[in-house]
Structure formats: structure tokens, C-alpha cells
Amino acid sequence: MDFESKTNAPTATDNIEFAQPTTTRKPLELLRDTEALLRRPTVATLSSILPPKLSNRFQATSSLADDSFKELAEIDLDSISDFELRFVRICVGFSFVGFGALMILMLLLYLNTLRPKLSTVEQIRQYWYQYVWFVSLGVTGMFMLGREAMRPMPRRQK
């Protein structure tokens, strides 16, 4: 018995051609336009119910955001080299390590001041989830710093 269909007639779904975008927009332009489409109606709605002084500041902040995003959209991402991003990646790595360490210290301070009756084992049992998150942030930052340390430096032209 042959269960396969013998007809190979083209169906309507085989001949669909999807429209191709006429122009490709840069990601920062998409970010600017999307943010503006969300922000402007929100500002218009909220400024009508806010006190006048706060409403004026809110609208001024919105126009400042317009200017900032306009400048941001003019940046050509293809012109930024890998070496120029090195400092930013190092700063982000240090931020992860620092934030993880700071949050572990805050957790220990919280446990020692507000939960002094709990033993160390009970503290770890109750707050292990936070410990894991904060240690993971620090380890992630260390991995980022290690990766940057192992990247080859660009050679200088003589």
C-alpha cells in the first residue's frame, strides 16, 4: 500500500513571496523610535494629571530624552573597534565584581544585625539563594576580567 500522495500540484502557500524591507534601519534608530512611541503618549497622559511645576519638569525631561536619543542614533556602530570597547568591558567586569561583593557584605550585615539569633548553618539554609546570586555576579565579573586579560593587544605600527 502506498500512502504517499502522487499529486505535486503547487498550492497557494508555495507561491507566497514576503515583502522585503526597502531600507534597513540601524539598531540605535529603532531604539530611538520605539522608545519615543512609548514615552510620548505616557508623558502626555501623565502631564495632564501632575501638578504644573512637576508637569513642566516632566516634559523638559522628555525633550532632553529626545535630544539624547537623537545624538545616540547618529553613532555608527560599525566604526567602533574592538580595542575601543576594551575599557568599557573592563569597567563592566569590575562593576560586576564590586556589586557582587557589596551585596554579599550587605547580606552579611543584614544577617548579623537583624537576624543574630540564627546560627551560621540556619542563615545559609535560609538565604542560600541570595548567596548564590551574589557570588555568581562576582564570578561573572572575574570571568569578564580574565577574558580581557587574555585578549591579544593590537600591535603598534612603526
Side-chain angles (χ1 to χ4, degrees):
M1 295 180 84
D2 188 16
F3 291 109
E4 292 185 22
S5 174
K6 299 281 185 197
T7 61
N8 289 333
T11 61
T13 58
D14 293 339
N15 297 329
I16 294 177
E17 291 184 20
F18 291 102
Q20 297 296 325
T22 56
T23 60
T24 56
R25 293 174 29 181
K26 296 189 291 187
L28 294 176
E29 290 176 356
L30 287 172
L31 173 69
R32 175 195 62 195
D33 296 340
T34 305
E35 188 274 339
L37 284 173
L38 294 172
R39 179 179 32 84
R40 288 179 185 143
T42 306
V43 169
T45 303
L46 290 177
S47 63
S48 64
I49 60 174
L50 291 174
K53 188 175 181 181
L54 189 58
S55 175
N56 290 340
R57 284 188 178 176
F58 199 51
Q59 289 173 350
T61 304
S62 177
S63 65
L64 182 65
D66 274 333
D67 297 339
S68 299
F69 275 112
K70 184 178 178 183
E71 288 178 21
L72 186 66
E74 293 172 0
I75 296 173
D76 183 21
L77 294 177
D78 296 330
S79 67
I80 300 173
S81 70
D82 189 49
F83 181 71
E84 291 172 332
L85 293 175
R86 182 180 178 99
F87 177 72
V88 176
R89 288 191 296 260
I90 290 172
C91 286
V92 170
F94 277 130
S95 298
F96 273 50
V97 171
F99 185 75
L102 178 68
M103 293 311 294
I104 287 175
L105 286 175
M106 294 298 289
L107 181 63
L108 291 174
L109 180 66
Y110 169 76
L111 292 174
N112 288 332
T113 57
L114 298 177
R115 305 276 183 170
K117 294 180 182 177
L118 294 176
S119 69
T120 305
V121 174
E122 289 172 337
Q123 288 176 350
I124 292 173
R125 183 179 302 135
Q126 212 169 10
Y127 295 96
W128 69 271
Y129 195 76
Q130 289 84 1
Y131 277 117
V132 168
W133 268 103
F134 301 147
V135 168
S136 296
L137 275 174
V139 170
T140 302
M142 293 301 287
F143 271 113
M144 291 175 74
L145 292 172
R147 192 179 103 208
E148 283 306 310
M150 290 187 294
R151 279 183 191 255
M153 291 291 291
R155 297 181 188 238
R156 293 184 183 170
Q157 301 292 330
K158 291 184 179 182

